[in-house]
Amino acid sequence: MYHALVKPLLFKLDAEKAHQLVFDNLKRAHKLPGARALLRGLYDLRHPNLEREVLGLPFRNPVGLAAGFDKNAELTDELGALGFGFVEIGTVTPRPQPGNPTPRLFRLPADGALINRMGFNNDGAEAVAARLRHRRDRGLIVGGNIGKNKDTPNAQAAHDYVACIEALHEVVDYFVVNVSSPNTPNLRALQEREPLIELLQQVQERNQTLPTPRPLLLKIAPDLTDAQLDDILLIARETNLSGLVATNSTIARTGLTTPTAHVAALGAGGLSGRPLRQRATEVIRYLSRHSRGQLPIIGVGGIHSAADAREKLEAGASLLQLYSGFIYEGPGLVRQINKALITADKR
């Protein structure tokens, strides 16, 4: 039904308007008697073979929703009913901010891709924390993806990340430090060795002083060189990170089917979806091999099928996240992946 009816209608709308329409309808549907049970019956697959313990946390399945979809933690219960084993909310900043001017989200259907330059639009850490306190599905693992406000200088970035840790630590299960989005000016400069060590040390120091420290992960760009990935692994050890999220969207535009002029006219932003699949897998494999499989990796980038999911796991990912694939393939993709994983584990 998604491919035959829902997707064609949504793809006639502006991408961000379609996103909001989906949000509104999921909220409405969830309030109807029996709707949650119906959604779980259609999409939520439970099986002992799907359960994973990663980061010291019990995941009911390894398929999660990447940050960027539910920025403000508005739909965690609804998304849990669609079969996700975990949901990463955000990116959240300390203060609310509107993000970049619209339009800022674009589809490339010929490539199964998206370009976004959202710019960390969100309601702010306090509002998001208040919303999460009222969620019902406590079995769903929720991660908090955190960033800095656009007007915060890089030299003061640690203050913003620490503020998010303080506001959200009671309502999320793990944190992801996002310094790899291409849509906040100069943010990616924080991926360089010295500023990144300084940032993570300050964030980790505050995290460890909390009554219940949370697993702390770092989300990295797919555009890093092997030498930079080596630095990331050294930094991960030095700052006692719990894991990595690989990868964010890319600033590259190579190998696309969509005409170059059309892509250029859309402007700047991070590219996600099928074109990112191979590079994301390469990064995961490199990180897994060079850490000897000792550092948990959440694999994200171009997962549009069960085969894509298996590729990421075989490359060394412990968990998976969907974003563009969820938009292009619909909620049935979550069940499709989980069903294939059950079948594979039975062999």
Side-chain angles (χ1 to χ4, degrees), residues 94-111:
R95 291 172 283 112
Q97 61 181 30
N100 293 322
T102 57
R104 54 192 180 182
L105 180 63
F106 311 93
R107 307 182 193 93
L108 303 182
D111 293 288

Side-chain angles (χ1 to χ4, degrees), residues 168-191:
L168 295 167
H169 77 275
E170 291 182 349
V171 292
V172 301
D173 299 291
Y174 69 88
F175 282 106
V176 176
V177 173
N178 187 354
V179 293
S180 53
S181 169
N183 301 318
T184 296
N186 301 317
L187 182 71
R188 282 191 170 195
L190 291 173
Q191 290 184 119

Side-chain angles (χ1 to χ4, degrees), residues 81-313:
L82 293 181
F84 286 104
F86 64 109
V87 172
E88 192 171 303
I89 56 96
T91 298
V92 178
T93 57
R95 291 172 283 112
Q97 61 181 30
N100 293 322
T102 57
R104 54 192 180 182
L105 180 63
F106 311 93
R107 307 182 193 93
L108 303 182
D111 293 288
L114 299 173
I115 292 175
N116 94 83
R117 51 173 176 271
M118 304 300 287
F120 291 174
N121 55 306
N122 75 104
D123 293 341
E126 293 295 341
V128 171
R131 204 168 280 133
L132 283 171
R133 289 188 186 99
H134 297 289
R135 70 186 181 96
R136 295 170 58 191
D137 186 355
R138 297 292 171 174
L140 179 73
I141 298 295
V142 174
N145 188 294
I146 57 176
K148 77 175 189 71
N149 282 108
K150 183 177 181 179
D151 59 0
T152 300
N154 279 5
Q156 300 171 23
H159 176 273
D160 279 14
Y161 288 92
V162 167
C164 289
I165 292 276
E166 292 172 342
L168 295 167
H169 77 275
E170 291 182 349
V171 292
V172 301
D173 299 291
Y174 69 88
F175 282 106
V176 176
V177 173
N178 187 354
V179 293
S180 53
S181 169
N183 301 318
T184 296
N186 301 317
L187 182 71
R188 282 191 170 195
L190 291 173
Q191 290 184 119
E192 297 299 324
R193 179 178 172 81
E194 294 308 320
L196 185 56
I197 289 176
E198 183 177 351
L199 170 68
L200 291 175
Q201 284 177 336
Q202 292 185 56
V203 174
Q204 188 68 284
E205 181 179 346
R206 183 63 183 109
N207 180 43
Q208 293 301 319
T209 63
L210 296 171
T212 307
R214 301 302 187 197
L216 187 69
L217 294 84
L218 175 69
K219 188 166 188 175
I220 63 171
D223 310 304
L224 301 179
T225 65
D226 286 354
Q228 289 173 312
L229 292 176
D230 290 337
D231 280 344
I232 291 294
L233 291 173
L234 289 172
I235 292 167
R237 287 196 291 271
E238 187 170 337
T239 59
N240 197 29
L241 289 181
S242 301
L244 299 170
V245 181
T247 64
N248 212 322
S249 55
T250 178
I251 57 175
R253 298 290 190 267
T254 56
L256 297 177
T257 300
T258 305
T260 302
H262 177 70
V263 175
L266 297 178
L271 176 76
S272 62
R274 281 199 184 99
L276 187 56
R277 179 190 61 79
Q278 182 176 344
R279 177 55 186 164
T281 301
E282 290 171 354
V283 171
I284 292 164
R285 183 175 292 112
Y286 188 95
L287 293 170
S288 180
R289 285 179 177 173
H290 288 260
S291 67
R292 294 176 181 164
Q294 298 303 303
L295 191 63
I297 299 168
I298 300 179
V300 53
I303 300 175
H304 284 239
S305 68
D308 296 336
R310 175 59 65 182
E311 177 185 79
K312 292 286 190 291
L313 294 171

